[in-house]
Amino acid sequence: MSTLAAAREAMASLIADVPDYPQPGVVFKDITPLLADHAGFSAVVEALADAGRDAEGNTVVTKVVGTEARGFLFAVPVAMALGVGFVPVRKPGKLPRECHSEDYALEYGTDTLQMHVDAVGPEDKVLMVDDVLATGGTLAATRRLIESCGAEVVGAAVLMELSFLPGRETLGAVDCLALEVF
């Protein structure tokens, strides 16, 4: 079984649908059962890590960048699986040294993400990892932060993509692996 097939099988059996949460009409995808299952979580991490490998299985990235907060849950083990470093992208005021900042649009307003100015550099090839691709604002802002440091974004990998929202369009030419598309 391929790593993608194993990940999808684990997700199908372990991600719980919670109707009407956090509001009526919404079906929330609860990933906590997946995180609690070693085999399922491992399958997902390996499938996400494949986005940072070439066809022969060689690592082609030098860093994995994860976006606060659920992106950290996947980006850290993906970085470990690839044998590269992890870089956090956080909300303002959470990183202790000089940061680049990037504003992005939300459904009702804006928010800001930050990354240390020296977290990546021109020599780095970066894989962005997050839990969900929805409108794409978070990953697009993360891409701009990475590029502001001179690094190259090789691709993105997400657990789930909400295809009824314009996330892929927002990413432009960045290849994005979504383990499951809804």
Side-chain angles (χ1 to χ4, degrees):
M1 179 182 304
S2 74
T3 55
L4 183 57
R8 286 182 173 159
E9 184 177 293
M11 291 170 65
S13 67
L14 295 168
I15 293 177
D17 285 346
V18 181
D20 298 321
Y21 181 84
Q23 61 189 30
V26 173
V27 177
F28 183 80
K29 300 289 187 182
D30 181 8
I31 64 169
T32 58
L34 174 68
L35 297 172
D37 184 272
H38 180 265
F41 189 38
S42 295
V44 164
V45 167
E46 280 305 311
L48 291 169
D50 281 347
R53 297 182 177 116
D54 64 17
E56 289 77 41
N58 300 308
T59 299
V60 297
V61 298
T62 58
K63 299 274 174 61
V64 171
V65 171
T67 306
E68 185 170 333
R70 290 180 305 245
F72 294 174
L73 298 171
F74 299 100
V76 170
V78 166
M80 293 177 69
L82 292 170
V84 301
F86 163 75
V87 174
V89 169
R90 305 225 40 206
K91 301 286 183 173
K94 302 289 186 180
L95 295 171
R97 295 181 290 108
E98 183 182 358
C99 293
H100 286 294
S101 294
E102 189 65 43
D103 295 331
Y104 65 102
L106 298 168
E107 189 174 355
Y108 300 105
T110 61
D111 209 344
T112 303
L113 293 174
Q114 294 185 323
M115 183 176 73
H116 282 133
V117 296
D118 60 352
V120 296
E123 70 285 355
D124 286 310
K125 296 185 182 311
V126 178
L127 174 65
M128 301 183 298
V129 175
D130 207 351
D131 64 330
V132 176
L133 175 60
T135 64
T138 302
L139 279 176
T142 300
R143 183 195 78 235
R144 291 189 300 271
L145 284 170
I146 293 164
E147 291 171 347
S148 73
C149 294
E152 176 187 351
V153 175
V154 173
V158 296
L159 188 67
M160 297 177 277
E161 177 182 357
L162 305 179
S163 63
F164 55 89
L165 294 171
R168 283 204 186 247
E169 297 165 21
T170 306
L171 290 179
V174 174
D175 286 332
C176 183
L177 167 67
L179 300 188
E180 193 64 66
V181 179
F182 298 98

